[in-house]
């Protein structure tokens, strides 16, 4: 660039015009970036409020219908209300994660478009390459996300459920799009990838069953022991402190195992899902007192404990298959007389019970 004689670069007006144009453009770009960031934060805040209000309204509606103030008190209400609260909170946490990830991606693309407008066009080939890479290298991530969405959408797992995921067993504390947080009985927090979950045993849905196999000496009176066990269990079911946790009256399923050392008698009682352990502990205590009153000494447990398939061999329990009895008239029951059918040929000789 030719500079006229008698002028310096500092005093050149064209230079300052370019500097001013650059500063104005940079300022506008920075303002645009700041606007995108502020807009994303504001939109995330608004969506969080909406999600929180929707979740709170659903949870409050379930509490009002059950006439309770605390979520834990919903255990006394119908099961659908409890599942609705847990499922709503789980879906709310997943929606918040999806909103955050989506806003970050969109904001990043908009910011890139401000500084490099032509870069978005070239991102087409890059996105194709990224898609191919995701198809090979990020299959596990896609699997985790899809499996997590279906797990929550189908109400297989909810926050607060006691579950057995195969990899970990405990209480579900958090469910995200990719991982599920499970706290076991020892306090260890397990992070289980949703794509690795192939089976789910949910112990918080529906109802539970307390199964107690009580071993008594081999020479004990079975009828007397069964009556004492059933009376102890019925007293528990009628107790005002425990009757809200018991769904059905207890049953004696009978003699489960016979050996030279002990007889194993099975007692079952149907309870609410989250009350199984408490009812089982109280029932064992009452059964121990009932056995002590009979003057029996319990044999060693290591010789009669049922485990594995033997413990759950009878899935149907004490309900054997029933068959419809064949109706027989009273006259026929007194003495059945055989009569040949009409139209029988002459050569046929009927078989009779006449003595020779």
């Amino acid at each position: 660039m030719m500079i006229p004689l008698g002028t310096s670069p500092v005093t050149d007006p064209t230079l300052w015009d370019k500097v001013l144009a650059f500063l104005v453009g940079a300022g506008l770009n920075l303002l645009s970036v700041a606007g995108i960031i502020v807009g994303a934060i504001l939109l995330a805040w608004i969506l969080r409020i909406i999600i929180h209000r929707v979740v709170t309204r659903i949870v409050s509606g379930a509490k009002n219908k059950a006439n309770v103030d605390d979520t834990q008190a919903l255990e006394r209400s119908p099961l659908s209300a409890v599942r609705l609260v847990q499922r709503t909170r789980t879906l709310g946490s997943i929606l918040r994660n999806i909103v955050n990830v989506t806003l970050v991606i969109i904001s990043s693309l908009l910011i890139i478009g401000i500084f490099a407008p032509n870069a978005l066009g070239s991102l087409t080939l890059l996105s194709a390459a990224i898609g191919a890479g995701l198809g090979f290298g990020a299959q596990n991530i896609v699997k985790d996300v899809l499996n997590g969405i279906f797990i929550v959408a189908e109400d297989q797992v909810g926050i607060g459920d006691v579950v057995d995921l195969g990899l970990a067993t405990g209480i579900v504390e958090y469910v995200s799009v990719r991982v599920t947080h499970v706290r076991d009985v020892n306090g260890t927090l397990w992070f289980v990838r949703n794509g690795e979950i192939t089976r789910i045993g949910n112990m918080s849905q529906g109802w539970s069953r307390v199964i107690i196999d009580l071993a008594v000496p081999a020479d004990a009176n079975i009828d007397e022991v069964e009556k004492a066990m059933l009376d102890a269990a019925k007293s528990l079911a009628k107790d005002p402190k425990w009757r809200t946790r018991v769904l059905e009256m207890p049953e004696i399923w009978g003699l489960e195992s016979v050996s030279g050392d002990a007889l194993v008698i099975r007692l079952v009682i149907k309870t609410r899902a989250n009350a199984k352990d408490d009812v089982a502990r109280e029932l064992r205590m009452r059964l121990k007192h009932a056995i002590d009153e009979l003057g029996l000494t319990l044999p060693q447990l290591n010789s009669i404990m049922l485990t594995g398939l033997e413990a759950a061999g009878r899935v149907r329990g004490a309900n054997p298959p029933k068959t419809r009895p064949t109706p027989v008239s009273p006259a026929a029951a007194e003495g059945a007389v055989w009569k040949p059918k009409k139209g029988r040929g002459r050569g046929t000789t009927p078989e009779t019970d006449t003595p020779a």
Side-chain angles (χ1 to χ4, degrees), residues 25-301:
L28 292 176
N29 291 337
L30 292 177
L31 288 176
S32 300
V33 171
I36 292 173
I37 295 175
V38 172
I41 295 175
L42 182 61
L43 182 59
W45 179 68
I46 294 174
L47 292 177
R48 279 176 176 270
I49 291 178
I50 294 175
I51 294 173
H52 178 71
R53 287 190 175 181
V54 171
V55 172
T56 304
R57 180 171 297 181
I58 295 175
V59 173
S60 300
K63 292 179 181 179
N64 292 333
K65 289 182 180 179
N67 195 20
V68 296
D69 297 329
D70 188 9
T71 302
Q72 299 297 328
L74 281 174
E75 295 179 356
R76 300 192 299 269
S77 64
L79 177 66
S80 58
V82 182
R83 297 303 309 165
L84 178 63
V85 171
Q86 294 173 343
R87 188 178 182 184
T88 302
R89 288 178 172 172
T90 305
L91 287 174
S93 63
I94 289 181
L95 286 176
R96 284 191 291 267
N97 291 333
I98 293 176
V99 166
N100 294 334
V101 174
T102 303
L103 290 178
V104 168
I105 293 175
I106 294 176
S107 301
S108 301
L109 292 177
L110 292 176
I111 291 173
I112 293 174
I114 292 174
F115 289 101
N118 298 326
L120 294 178
S122 61
L123 285 178
T124 304
L125 298 177
L126 181 60
S127 61
I130 293 176
L134 289 176
F136 292 99
Q139 293 181 3
N140 291 332
I141 298 178
V142 176
K143 182 180 178 182
D144 295 340
V145 172
L146 292 179
N147 198 24
I149 293 174
F150 283 114
I151 285 175
V152 178
E154 295 174 0
D155 198 20
Q156 300 177 16
V157 169
I159 296 176
D161 287 350
V162 180
V163 297
D164 180 5
L165 303 181
L167 303 174
T169 302
I171 300 177
V172 178
E173 291 191 350
Y174 182 72
V175 179
S176 65
V177 179
R178 199 179 68 87
V179 296
T180 299
H181 301 180
V182 178
R183 179 86 62 177
D184 66 7
V185 68
N186 297 319
T188 305
L189 183 62
W190 295 87
F191 297 85
V192 183
R193 286 173 43 202
N194 294 332
E196 297 295 328
I197 300 175
T198 57
R199 66 171 180 84
I200 298 176
N202 196 320
M203 290 168 271
S204 297
Q205 291 187 4
W207 50 271
S208 294
R209 176 177 284 145
V210 176
I211 300 177
I212 295 181
D213 293 329
L214 184 64
V216 296
D219 58 349
N221 189 339
I222 298 178
D223 295 334
E224 184 181 3
V225 173
E226 288 184 350
K227 183 178 182 302
M229 293 174 59
L230 191 58
D231 291 342
K234 286 183 178 179
S235 66
L236 171 67
K238 295 178 182 179
D239 193 330
K241 179 181 178 181
W242 299 96
R243 63 187 179 187
T244 57
R245 312 180 193 184
V246 177
L247 299 180
E248 294 181 0
M249 294 303 294
E251 298 178 358
I252 293 288
W253 281 4
L255 199 59
E256 193 70 19
S257 176
V258 178
S259 64
D261 299 331
L263 305 175
V264 179
I265 302 175
R266 174 164 290 187
L267 171 69
V268 300
I269 183 170
K270 190 174 181 180
T271 66
R272 289 190 293 106
N274 295 332
K276 174 183 175 182
D277 295 334
D278 297 335
V279 173
R281 295 186 185 98
E282 180 66 20
L283 183 58
R284 292 190 191 99
M285 181 65 67
R286 300 196 180 204
L287 290 177
K288 178 63 171 61
H289 294 329
I291 295 300
D292 291 341
E293 292 178 358
L294 295 178
L296 299 177
T297 302
L298 298 179
Q300 295 182 358
L301 295 178

